[in-house]
Amino acid sequence: MMDKVNVDLGDRSYDILIQSGLLKAAGQVIKPFLTRPRVVVITDETVAALHLYTLGNALAQDGIEMTALALPAGEETKGWPQFTRTVEWLLDQKVERQDIVVALGGGVIGDLVGFAAAVLRRGVRFVQIPTTLLAQVDSSVGGKTGINAPQGKNLIGAFHQPSLVLIDIDILQTLPRRAFLAGYGEVVKYGLLGDADFFEWLEQNGPDMALGDTAARGAAIKRCCQMKADIVARDETEQGDRALLNLGHTFCHALEAATGYSDRLLHGEGVAIGCALATDLSARLGLCSQESPGRLRAHLRAMGMKVDLSDIPGDLPTSDKLVELMGQDKKVVAGQLRFVLLREIGDAFVTADVDPALVKAVLDDAR
Ligand code: NAD
Ligand code: GLY
């Protein structure tokens, strides 16, 4: 059965369709959006080798011609050189204002292609076909698009909502376990920030999800997409509530910067560790129960995930240096660090009122 979640944004509203095997029906699903039977697809080389043929076949079945560009896989692609290449390729393909650009891939491809679609001819429509768990539950929804600058991650970009998000749960079967668990970091984030029942459900069903249980994966993806859709509909451009989605991210961004945005720490791994640290900080401030950090860590450990700073291979800078790196976070407002903290598992809020000495103490304890 196909699940549908709507992102309610007036005339820019769109559906997120979730189903096993949906890639094979991509032609049928995308056709209503087309003014001519043609789409351009941008993907990465890894995903192209695994899934582009299926997409091409599905489109051909509905008489839709496909032209594709495969970029190198990996975070390095999310910068000016591959962005320029993509935009120029789209122009060479004579993509018109009414055409649809398809992003087939993880968050790297989704962010880059979304941004290319935002600026091409002052904005063309695009469809997200997310292929990682992280992209299915987070990055493909909500219209944050962009690339990295030498000065930092995601510093160049635009809000540009997709016209459709097509989620095929089966596509995750080819995803390596490490990438799946990194995406699971974002899944846990949703339970922590707004749904205690979902967190409890994850404690029970997370291990089955990791083992490949499609029904459990589908249910979790739907819940995350629904939560994100609700938040984005309330606060599209992050003036308020949307910042809740950054739970764990102030710590995560410092850890990513400290590890050089390398394979030492994937984004979702940093989010999971960041959520544990944010829960520690909340408990230390007396905001949430003293049991909450232990409960979260027990779940992350049961999933086989990285939980503490000591799980990150190689040396890390001092806690002072990590706090300093947090100062470069996008969420800094008027020089003040902003954190998402927990009143309880399932109840988060944003605050700028945190003493950096406490943050340092939490980092020291987590070593
Ligand atoms: P990614 O796109 O680099 O994908 C991870 C790896 O998995 C890549 O090597 C890719 O080739 C491979 N892969 C993708 N799908 C696969 C599949 N089905 N089978 C086998 N291999 C597959 O990384 P990601 O974790 O998906 O996304 C991370 C990016 O998302 C970061 O750049 C981050 O900033 C961004 N992000 C954006 C938002 C947003 O709201 N826009 C939110 C969260 C994260
Ligand atoms: N991933 C954070 C957001 O979409 O706002």
Side-chain angles (χ1 to χ4, degrees):
M1 197 193 74
M2 182 152 75
D3 282 311
K4 191 192 282 191
V5 173
N6 184 258
V7 185
D8 184 4
L9 289 168
D11 59 3
R12 287 171 299 107
S13 297
Y14 55 95
D15 286 331
I16 305 163
L17 305 179
I18 308 164
Q19 192 180 23
S20 282
L22 192 56
L23 192 65
K24 294 198 186 92
Q28 212 180 314
V29 170
I30 292 175
K31 201 170 188 175
F33 292 85
L34 302 179
T35 50
R36 54 174 173 163
R38 173 181 180 224
V39 295
V40 285
V41 177
I42 293 144
T43 184
D44 74 31
E45 285 160 2
T46 305
V47 176
L50 293 164
H51 300 292
L52 189 60
Y53 180 78
T54 308
L55 176 60
N57 249 347
L59 293 167
Q61 271 169 28
D62 280 81
I64 302 164
E65 185 198 323
M66 175 184 93
T67 323
L69 171 67
L71 304 175
E75 187 71 31
E76 270 201 16
T77 287
K78 227 178 95 173
W80 284 122
Q82 296 298 337
F83 179 75
T84 307
R85 177 182 170 197
T86 301
V87 172
E88 290 180 359
W89 180 81
L90 288 168
L91 290 171
D92 285 345
Q93 301 310 310
K94 303 195 168 36
V95 172
E96 296 173 5
R97 285 291 303 272
Q98 294 313 312
D99 286 335
I100 289 276
V101 176
V102 175
L104 174 72
V108 164
I109 290 297
D111 281 10
L112 179 141
V113 175
F115 184 39
V119 296
L120 188 80
R121 300 186 193 280
R122 298 200 179 87
V124 300
R125 295 171 306 154
F126 79 116
V127 168
Q128 290 269 22
I129 307 185
T131 63
T132 62
L133 180 60
L134 180 140
Q136 294 190 345
V137 299
D138 194 353
S139 63
S140 67
V141 175
K144 276 191 186 175
T145 73
I147 57 173
N148 304 325
Q151 288 83 350
K153 265 195 73 174
N154 296 327
L155 293 180
I156 303 155
F159 285 99
H160 185 54
Q161 299 293 343
S163 298
L164 176 74
V165 182
L166 188 163
I167 298 180
D168 180 348
I169 303 155
D170 292 350
I171 234 172
L172 300 180
Q173 281 166 11
T174 57
L175 194 64
R177 178 180 155 80
R178 185 176 176 198
F180 182 87
L181 290 180
Y184 190 82
E186 302 277 8
V187 174
V188 169
K189 177 191 81 175
Y190 285 101
L192 292 171
L193 74 86
D195 187 345
D197 290 344
F198 181 50
F199 183 82
E200 197 178 325
W201 184 91
L202 288 172
E203 288 178 311
Q204 282 151 20
N205 295 281
D208 287 342
M209 281 178 68
L211 288 173
D213 182 329
T214 304
R217 287 180 174 188
I221 292 164
K222 184 180 176 200
R223 182 69 195 120
C224 295
C225 285
Q226 186 65 64
M227 287 180 75
K228 182 147 187 185
D230 291 346
I231 290 173
V232 169
R234 284 203 301 277
D235 178 23
E236 185 182 7
T237 56
E238 202 169 309
Q239 309 302 313
D241 266 11
R242 186 161 180 169
L244 294 174
L245 294 168
N246 294 325
L247 175 60
H249 282 60
T250 306
F251 286 105
C252 170
H253 288 155
L255 294 172
E256 283 185 290
T259 50
Y261 303 97
S262 69
D263 208 34
R264 278 174 69 196
L265 185 73
L266 303 179
H267 175 72
E269 293 173 339
V271 170
I273 296 173
C275 283
L277 294 169
T279 311
D280 288 340
L281 185 55
S282 307
R284 194 175 267 263
L285 286 163
L287 289 164
C288 74
S289 79
Q290 300 302 309
E291 286 75 44
S292 297
R295 182 175 169 195
L296 171 58
R297 280 196 171 76
H299 178 50
L300 298 177
R301 287 254 177 255
M303 293 296 295
M305 294 167 71
K306 292 190 173 66
V307 181
D308 281 308
L309 300 188
S310 51
D311 295 326
I312 302 171
D315 291 335
L316 284 177
T318 61
S319 301
D320 278 327
K321 176 71 186 164
L322 288 173
V323 174
E324 192 188 312
L325 286 171
M326 287 176 196
Q328 276 144 39
D329 196 83
K330 276 200 304 303
K331 292 185 295 305
V332 171
V333 177
Q336 274 197 305
L337 281 181
R338 282 155 66 83
F339 285 91
V340 184
L341 297 177
L342 298 182
R343 284 189 202 94
E344 207 35 88
I345 285 177
D347 182 7
F349 68 103
V350 185
T351 180
D353 188 19
V354 180
D355 179 357
L358 276 183
V359 179
K360 181 179 170 298
V362 161
L363 288 166
D364 283 339
D365 280 0
R367 278 167 194 273

